[in-house]
Every structure is written in C-alpha cells, then in structure tokens.
Amino acid sequence: MNRNIIITGGAGFIGSHVVCLFVNKYPDYHIINVDKLTYAGNLANLTDIENAPNYTFIKADICDFDKMVSLFAEYNIDGVIHLAAESHVDRSIKDPFTFAHTNVIGTLSLLQAAKNQWKGNYADKRFYHISTDEVYGSLQFDGTFFTEDTAYSPHSPYSASKASSDHFVRAFHDTYGMPTVITNCSNNYGPYQFPEKLIPLFINNIRHSKPLPVYGKGENVRDWLYVVDHARAIDVIFHEGKIAETYNIGGFNEWKNIDLIKVIVKTVDRLLGNPDGHSLRLITYVTDRAGHDLRYAIDSNKLKKELGWEPSLQFEEGIEETVRWYLDNQEWLDNITSGEYEKYYQEMYKG
Ligand code: NAD
Ligand code: DAU
C-alpha cells in the first residue's frame, strides 16, 4: 500500500533511526521528514538515505501551523509519526518556555493540521505520538514498574510538557475521533545521540580526559533500550497498534548511573588501549539535578503480549557497539561539539 507519512524530528537521535528504517523497509511509502534543525537536528545522521527516491526532507518548525497545513495538503499525508521535541531535561530547567512551545504548541499544531486535512475521514489514517516514561514521575527502589495505567506525575518542565502533549493527543481522539496512538519509552542509547546526554557525553569526555560529572551520588536508576529496538517497536506499533491505545516500551534493563558509568569507562579504556581503570579518576560528583527523578522502570509486557515486540539486543552487546560507534565517528562528535554546543557546555559548569 502506498502511504505518505510525515516523520517529525527525523534529523534527531531517535527520529533519524526511524526515518532510515522506514525509507529502507518500505519503498512504497513516501517519507517526509519535517525537522526545524535545532541544535539537536543533524542531517549528517541521514546520509545513508538522503538520496532515496521515497524520501523528502523539509526544514520547518512544527509550531508553524500554516506551514503544517500546507504540507499535509501538498503531500496528501495519511500518517504521522511525531518525534520532534525539545528532549533534554537539563535544558528544560533553564528554559521551560521553549519546551512548552515546541512540545505542547508544536504537537497541537500538528494535530490540528491533521484534523483539517482528514476532515473526519479517518479510514487508513494514523497519528502516532512518541512520548516518554518520564511523564509517570519517579519510582522508589521497591521493584515496581510503570505500566500503561500508572497515573501521570511529571516533575521536570520537560516531562510536564510531554505529559501535556500526550493529553492533547488523547483529547483529539476522544473529541474528534482522530485515530491516535501513544507510546512511552524508557532511556534510549546508541549511535547519533547528541553528546549532552549521559552516554555519549561521557564517552566524549573520556576521549578528551575531561571530568565526568555525576549528578548527586550517582544512585539514580534508568532503564536503557538500544535505539534500533525502539525504532523496531515504532514500526510495529505504527502498523499494528490499536487506535487510542498507549504502549510502554522498555528494555527491562535497569542500571544505577554510577554502575553504568563504570561500564562505559571500562569499555572506552579497553577500546582506546588504556590500562583497566585508567579513566575512573575522571569521575567527579557534582550538584544534583533539580527535581531529579530517582528511578524509572518500564513494564513493556503489554507490547510483548499484544504485538510480539521485545528487545533484540543484550545490553552488553549494545553498549560495546555504541562505544565503538562514537570512537569510530569522532568527526561526527567533533563537528557537534566544536561550536555553539561547547559554549553551552561550559556554561553548564562541566568544562
Ligand atoms: P533529539 O533532541 O535528539 O531530536 C529532536 C529533533 O526534533 C531534532 O532533530 C530537532 O531539530 C527537532 N525539533 C525540535 N524542535 C522542533 C520544531 N519546533 N519543529 C521541528 N523539529 C523540531 O530527541 P530524541 O532523543 O531523538 O527524542 C525524540 C523523541 O522521543 C522526543 O519526542 C522525546 O521526547 C522522545 N523520547 C526520547 C527518549 C530518549 O531517550 N532520547 C526516550 C523516550 C522518548
Ligand atoms: O526516560 C526517557 C528520557 O531519557 C527521555 O524522555 C529524554 O528525552 C532523555 O533525555 C532521557 O532523559 P534523562 O534525563 O534520563 O537522560 P540523561 O542522559 O540526561 O541522564 C541520564 C541520567 O544520568 C540521569 O539520571 C541524569 C544523569 N546524568 C546526566 C548527565 C547529562 C549525570 O549524572 N550527569 C550528566 O552529565
């Protein structure tokens, strides 16, 4: 079946993996990547598919409602996979307005543009919104998990803006009958992640013998999933997920930050030919993140039971592959960290 699908945020970390998967796997689909190219968007993530006949890149802001309306009409869009967002918690603490604007108004602008285009004819249409486990708040060390029924309890401006966007998506289903689906995923890792996030930041800092800033005592827990497995889940849910449903996506792979950091240090040192433990001296405990959620853990059993998805990669393999990728792609890292980002990083006290 031919389809015309807008993927928003397709030049970012997860979006670029989703765009590449869809362009390669579905030659009959026209994939229209709509991305504003903020500091986090990078067309170098897409060189593998940039000349594919079924791929179009549009530089645009999802908050520009008129532009979204014209894109939906021009390309006769029948599907949306919405990933564009401001995604970094630390930035949201400094600049919450940008997060509310992009994540809430941007999502509303896309929903309203889809509604205008589809005019109540929802046969074979789909609006798929990508969200985060952070909307559920924080767990204690008590073995519990976030399920699809966990009440929302966001703590950061980032998670509050994502929670709000999720509510708008549900409201468009309940009010207008729009065929929506939402997923809430845990922490992703892998190639092409912007090096302000824990794993690529620490790999890059070890490379440059720079301090590794561990927030608080390093005791917070995150549930890590390889980005390619997230893209596989998005593929399955876009095609087979039930309308108006929510699916949690996660790896059942919880790591205390400090334990994960030690694995990263060990792996980078080994691959760089440093003696074992050489870069442990770079670990520096710094002031904790404000409102720092203690523990995230996703129960993704619904997705496994209903749609047969589960992670394909063991964490040990994934982290080895990831570290190798960043060490083999130092030019990609250097291009990003040489300009504006480096200034931001210095301001964030970590330099
Ligand atoms: P990212 O920051 O790497 O990429 C975001 C992309 O969105 C960039 O290409 C950026 O240019 C684009 N963008 C930002 N504002 C835009 C605007 N106004 N108009 C058009 N494009 C805009 O983010 P990511 O880590 O790839 O996350 C993608 C999505 O997945 C987000 O919605 C995020 O909330 C969600 N998510 C991320 C994770 C994770 O671990 N990274 C986990 C769960 C959910
Ligand atoms: O859970 C899903 C979320 O995961 C996504 O919705 C977000 O978009 C994504 O950024 C990520 O959020 P986190 O805040 O969990 O990721 P981050 O890589 O920023 O931090 C991971 C953990 O490491 C967190 O407990 C904070 C800690 N940390 C992070 C940085 C950048 C440090 O100790 N030092 C650091 O320098």
Side-chain angles (χ1 to χ4, degrees):
M1 177 190 164
N2 290 324
R3 298 202 68 160
N4 299 313
I5 299 168
I6 279 184
I7 299 182
T8 70
F13 166 47
I14 302 170
S16 58
H17 287 275
V18 176
V19 166
C20 288
L21 176 68
F22 272 68
V23 167
N24 287 324
K25 187 169 172 187
Y26 301 107
D28 291 344
Y29 291 5
H30 184 186
I31 301 301
I32 297 112
N33 174 10
V34 176
D35 197 298
K36 183 181 173 185
L37 298 182
T38 66
Y39 79 94
N42 187 352
L43 292 178
N45 300 358
L46 294 158
T47 46
D48 285 355
I49 53 91
E50 65 189 356
N51 296 318
N54 62 335
Y55 172 70
T56 302
F57 173 70
I58 309 279
K59 184 175 187 308
D61 185 340
I62 55 167
C63 301
D64 181 345
F65 174 63
D66 293 341
K67 179 72 181 173
M68 293 306 112
V69 168
S70 73
L71 286 179
F72 272 78
E74 181 180 352
Y75 292 101
N76 194 22
I77 296 302
D78 54 41
V80 178
I81 303 177
H82 174 36
L83 297 109
E86 289 292 337
S87 69
H88 190 41
V89 174
D90 293 335
R91 287 183 190 253
S92 81
I93 293 167
K94 291 201 148 210
D95 177 17
F97 276 114
T98 302
F99 281 68
H101 189 62
T102 296
N103 298 355
V104 185
I105 302 299
T107 301
L108 180 55
S109 156
L110 283 168
L111 285 162
Q112 187 71 6
K115 176 171 159 279
N116 277 13
Q117 175 69 16
W118 296 340
K119 296 186 174 57
N121 173 11
Y122 290 131
D124 298 324
K125 310 290 195 302
R126 178 151 295 212
F127 190 108
Y128 178 2
H129 176 62
I130 310 296
S131 191
T132 171
D133 59 0
E134 300 203 9
V135 299
Y136 297 125
S138 184
L139 296 167
Q140 295 301 312
F141 295 122
D142 57 3
T144 56
F145 291 87
F146 296 135
T147 72
E148 288 80 0
D149 296 325
T150 302
Y152 276 29
S153 178
H155 297 131
S156 72
Y158 163 68
S159 53
S161 68
K162 292 295 291 187
S164 173
S165 65
D166 294 8
H167 290 321
F168 269 105
V169 174
R170 288 199 182 92
F172 267 62
H173 171 267
D174 296 351
T175 307
Y176 308 113
M178 186 174 287
T180 58
V181 63
I182 298 177
T183 52
N184 298 84
C185 188
S186 64
N187 285 63
N188 285 214
Y189 71 97
Y192 299 119
Q193 187 167 32
F194 194 88
E196 63 187 349
K197 308 281 168 65
L198 181 75
I199 291 180
L201 174 70
F202 278 35
I203 295 170
N204 199 34
N205 282 11
I206 297 169
R207 225 182 109 215
H208 292 292
S209 297
K210 282 165 72 172
L212 306 177
V214 181
Y215 297 164
K217 294 183 179 152
E219 284 176 346
N220 304 67
V221 167
R222 295 292 181 265
D223 172 2
W224 294 93
L225 178 69
Y226 194 59
V227 63
V228 173
D229 278 327
H230 188 187
R232 284 177 46 246
I234 290 172
D235 178 16
V236 172
I237 292 158
F238 179 74
H239 291 97
E240 296 168 36
K242 283 196 209 122
I243 302 294
E245 286 287 332
T246 295
Y247 298 91
N248 281 351
I249 309 173
F252 287 112
N253 179 39
E254 291 179 54
W255 284 83
K256 202 181 262 197
N257 286 344
I258 192 63
D259 295 337
L260 172 65
I261 288 161
K262 286 179 182 161
V263 170
I264 296 167
V265 168
K266 202 176 180 57
T267 311
V268 177
D269 275 340
R270 175 167 48 76
L271 293 176
L272 287 178
N274 293 332
D276 191 29
H278 173 74
S279 300
L280 287 173
R281 70 203 152 86
L282 299 174
I283 291 178
T284 309
Y285 290 90
V286 299
T287 311
D288 207 355
R289 172 185 278 174
H292 198 174
D293 288 331
L294 183 63
R295 172 175 168 256
Y296 302 147
I298 276 280
D299 178 348
S300 54
N301 274 316
K302 173 178 172 182
L303 181 55
K304 183 176 176 188
K305 226 190 291 163
E306 291 188 12
L307 302 180
W309 176 92
E310 55 189 330
S312 68
L313 212 64
Q314 291 296 312
F315 186 65
E316 290 66 26
E317 284 172 76
I319 207 74
E320 173 91 14
E321 237 176 72
T322 300
V323 172
R324 271 186 201 282
W325 187 87
Y326 286 100
L327 296 180
D328 289 348
N329 288 274
Q330 301 196 8
E331 205 183 327
W332 182 92
L333 271 174
D334 290 342
N335 284 343
I336 289 179
T337 49
S338 57
E340 277 306 302
Y341 169 63
E342 195 54 28
K343 267 195 268 164
Y344 164 84
Y345 187 68
Q346 298 296 342
E347 275 168 24
M348 290 287 289
Y349 66 76
K350 296 166 180 168

